[in-house]
Amino acid sequence: MTSRVLTVVGVVLLLLGLLFTLQGVGVVGGSPMTGSSFWAVAGPVIALVGLWLAVLRRVGRRRD
């Protein structure tokens, strides 16, 4: 996979993780996920994976 594809996938995961977190804590309504503690915990994990793919992985590879 190219680094651009991983960056795009990372940004999408980051945004989805943020949305899932906001739904889990009840800020964004209109979904069965609203108010669910599972999504309040899973959302940040998904966002961190996305951040790693989008940013941190690229920074680490530049040093090598």
Side-chain angles (χ1 to χ4, degrees):
M1 290 182 126
T2 67
S3 94
R4 285 187 185 178
V5 172
L6 289 176
T7 300
V8 170
V9 170
V11 169
V12 169
L13 284 175
L14 178 63
L15 293 173
L16 285 174
L18 178 62
L19 176 63
F20 295 165
T21 302
L22 292 174
Q23 285 180 323
V25 297
V27 174
V28 176
S31 166
M33 294 165 45
T34 301
S36 171
S37 60
F38 173 79
W39 292 109
V41 173
V45 173
I46 294 167
L48 286 174
V49 170
L51 180 66
W52 179 77
L53 281 175
V55 178
L56 300 178
R57 189 172 182 278
R58 279 183 100 165
V59 171
R61 292 186 95 193
R62 286 187 181 161
R63 290 187 202 154
D64 294 336

